[in-house]
């Protein structure tokens, strides 16, 4: 999705953006719902497919999911203007707000919602707390780009999340699953592992390296070598529109694989899925709205406010699922809670992309008429 360039006065941001979308972008919710349905159908109708997909892994990393995420993230990271990262890193308000929201507010909010809404389901509660600890480093780049957020800011914030994830994930798991329930006088978590998360820091680092490091390096080298060989104008107006559609293809492939892995479980336990979905819906809505409101209150631009909101609301479901499966087993309630995460997150954040574009018109009227020259997120510019 490209930013609006030279919109006419009186035209809403949503309408103006919609007229510039490729067919792929314009019907994105339809493709995502279709991918989810296809994954569920495959997982339900093909015996042993989930086991076959789960067995194709290198170390603790699922190879099919890794391939999908790499294809999805590479075009977005190839669009980042890396020479502007220093300017973004100097924005201390943005960095401080992101750290506060991601590593203090987010985990605490998910912990509270899980205990309030699932007091009688300890396994699902634990799974949701793990989801809250896994801050987004991958798919958030897609949502941010579709909402016309600041790509350079998003790259900085996901890099910070990656570092914090490696350093703090296991410790925060011990805090929220073991120590905090005891301090608050809550009943035993009944699925917290009896001592927090016994998860290897190396496994977390590997997840970060694969899901962020590889596409980040590829995107950086592509832009550096492409601009050096042909110039920025050719790179952004010719090369990027050619590779852009692969981001959506990677996203849809990843969704199909994720839902094929747990299709049978999800379709056989619809009431459990609904129970898990309620705190997730509340979490995404509160985190996104609160983060966007904070950005507005701090006087940030629309682009950075949007980036702050999506990076705070999204979660690294790949890591959460891997940890839940590794610690509690593939058939555990904790693993099911992790899988339900993207089931709810994907359509909700797609909807929030449209809410964000509406909020641009409402709270940032100048942003809807400002001329910007940036390549589209997934598809080619429509004429």
């Amino acid at each position: 999705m490209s930013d609006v360039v030279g919109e006419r006065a009186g035209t809403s941001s949503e309408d103006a953006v919609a007229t510039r979308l490729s067919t792929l972008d314009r019907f994105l919710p339809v493709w995502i719902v279709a991918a989810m349905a296809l994954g569920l159908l495959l997982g339900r109708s093909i015996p042993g497919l989930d086991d076959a997909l789960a067995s194709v892994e290198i170390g603790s990393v699922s190879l099919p999911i890794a391939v999908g995420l790499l294809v999805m993230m590479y075009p977005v990271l190839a669009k980042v203007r890396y020479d502007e990262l220093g300017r973004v890193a100097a924005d201390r308000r943005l960095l401080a707000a992101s750290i506060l929201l991601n590593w203090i507010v987010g985990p605490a909010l998910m912990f509270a919602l899980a205990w309030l809404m699932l007091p009688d389901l300890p396994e699902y509660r634990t799974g949701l707390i793990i989801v809250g600890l896994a801050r987004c480093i991958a798919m958030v780049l897609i949502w941010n780009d579709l909402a016309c957020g600041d790509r350079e800011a998003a790259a900085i914030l996901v890099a910070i999340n990656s570092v914090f994830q490696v350093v703090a994930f296991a410790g925060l798991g011990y805090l929220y699953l073991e120590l905090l329930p005891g301090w608050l006088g809550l009943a035993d978590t009944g699925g917290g592992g009896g001592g927090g998360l016994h998860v290897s820091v190396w496994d977390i680092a590997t997840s970060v390296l694969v899901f962020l490091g590889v596409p980040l390096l590829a995107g950086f080298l592509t832009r550096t070598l492409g601009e050096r060989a042909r110039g920025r104008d050719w790179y952004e107006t010719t090369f990027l529109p050619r590779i852009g559609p692969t981001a959506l293809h990677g996203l849809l492939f990843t969704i199909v694989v994720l839902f094929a892995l747990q299709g049978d479980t999800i379709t056989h336990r619809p009431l459990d899925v609904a129970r898990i979905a309620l705190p997730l819906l509340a979490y995404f809505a509160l985190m996104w709205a609160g983060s966007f409101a904070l950005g507005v209150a701090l006087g940030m631009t629309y682009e950075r406010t949007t980036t702050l909101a999506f990076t705070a609301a999204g979660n690294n479901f790949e890591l959460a699922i891997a940890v839940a499966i590794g610690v509690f087993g593939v058939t555990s309630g904790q693993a099911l809670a992790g899988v339900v995460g993207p089931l709810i997150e994907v359509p909700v954040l797609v909807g929030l992309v449209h809410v964000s574009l509406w909020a641009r018109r409402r709270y940032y009227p100048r942003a809807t008429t400002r001329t910007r020259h940036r390549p589209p997120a997934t598809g080619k510019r429509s004429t």
Side-chain angles (χ1 to χ4, degrees), residues 51-71:
D51 293 332
L53 290 173
S55 66
V56 183
E57 61 180 23
I58 299 177
S60 60
V61 176
S62 168
L63 190 58
I65 292 177
V67 169
L69 287 172
L70 293 178
V71 173

Side-chain angles (χ1 to χ4, degrees), residues 300-363:
M300 293 182 184
T301 64
Y302 166 79
E303 291 77 15
R304 293 197 177 177
T305 296
T306 296
T307 298
L308 179 67
F310 279 99
T311 52
N315 292 89
N316 185 355
F317 57 81
E318 306 88 13
L319 177 59
I321 293 171
V323 169
I325 290 174
V327 177
F328 302 103
V330 69
T331 60
S332 66
Q334 292 89 342
L336 177 61
V339 172
V340 174
L343 175 70
I344 305 303
E345 178 180 9
V346 169
V348 168
L349 292 189
V350 169
L352 288 174
V353 167
H354 295 281
V355 174
S356 183
L357 294 173
W358 169 85
R360 177 169 63 172
R361 181 184 63 178
R362 176 68 175 81
Y363 298 104

Side-chain angles (χ1 to χ4, degrees), residues 1-2 22 24-25 79 240-241 244-245 248 375-382:
M1 180 180 295
S2 60
S22 68
L24 286 175
D25 286 331
K79 293 181 177 75
L240 288 182
L248 179 55
T378 56
K380 297 180 180 179
R381 297 180 188 275
S382 57

Side-chain angles (χ1 to χ4, degrees), residues 89-369:
D91 189 342
R92 295 183 179 179
R93 289 183 309 166
L94 176 66
L95 301 185
S98 178
I99 293 172
L100 172 67
L101 291 167
N102 275 285
W103 296 102
I104 298 178
V105 176
L109 177 61
M110 187 69 88
F111 174 86
L113 291 171
W115 272 97
L116 285 171
M117 297 186 178
L118 301 174
D120 58 328
L121 297 171
E123 289 192 357
Y124 298 157
R125 185 174 64 234
T126 297
L128 287 182
I129 292 172
I130 294 172
V131 170
L133 298 176
R135 313 312 300 170
C136 198
I137 63 170
M139 202 170 286
V140 67
L141 296 172
I142 289 285
W143 314 135
N144 178 72
D145 225 27
L146 289 171
C148 303
D150 188 319
R151 291 179 191 139
E152 290 71 40
I156 287 285
L157 297 186
V158 297
I160 292 174
N161 279 347
S162 300
V163 173
F164 269 80
Q165 221 144 217
V166 173
V167 173
F169 187 91
L172 287 173
Y174 182 74
L175 171 65
Y176 281 101
L177 295 177
E178 188 71 18
L179 294 181
L180 197 55
W183 292 344
L184 297 177
L186 299 171
D188 181 75
T189 57
L197 288 179
H198 303 288
V199 57
S200 167
V201 172
W202 173 246
D203 287 343
I204 299 174
T206 300
S207 174
V208 171
L209 177 64
V210 171
F211 296 134
L212 178 65
V214 172
L216 181 63
L217 177 62
F220 173 78
L221 291 177
T222 300
R223 177 171 279 276
T224 301
L225 298 177
E227 288 190 357
R228 184 177 301 170
R230 303 290 294 273
R232 172 165 290 188
D233 182 66
W234 172 87
Y235 183 84
E236 294 194 342
T237 61
T238 303
F239 177 74
L240 288 182
R242 291 177 180 172
I243 67 170
T246 61
L248 179 55
H249 300 155
L251 170 64
L252 298 178
F253 174 80
T254 303
I255 292 171
V256 170
V257 172
L258 280 170
F259 287 95
L261 280 168
Q262 292 286 338
D264 189 63
T265 302
I266 291 173
T267 54
H268 276 94
R269 298 159 75 177
L271 293 180
D272 288 357
V273 170
R275 287 288 304 274
I276 297 169
L278 289 177
L280 283 169
L281 286 170
Y283 173 84
F284 293 132
L286 290 172
M287 281 299 295
W288 190 91
S291 302
F292 197 95
L294 178 61
V296 172
L298 292 175
M300 293 182 184
T301 64
Y302 166 79
E303 291 77 15
R304 293 197 177 177
T305 296
T306 296
T307 298
L308 179 67
F310 279 99
T311 52
N315 292 89
N316 185 355
F317 57 81
E318 306 88 13
L319 177 59
I321 293 171
V323 169
I325 290 174
V327 177
F328 302 103
V330 69
T331 60
S332 66
Q334 292 89 342
L336 177 61
V339 172
V340 174
L343 175 70
I344 305 303
E345 178 180 9
V346 169
V348 168
L349 292 189
V350 169
L352 288 174
V353 167
H354 295 281
V355 174
S356 183
L357 294 173
W358 169 85
R360 177 169 63 172
R361 181 184 63 178
R362 176 68 175 81
Y363 298 104
Y364 295 92
R366 293 183 181 180
T368 64
T369 56

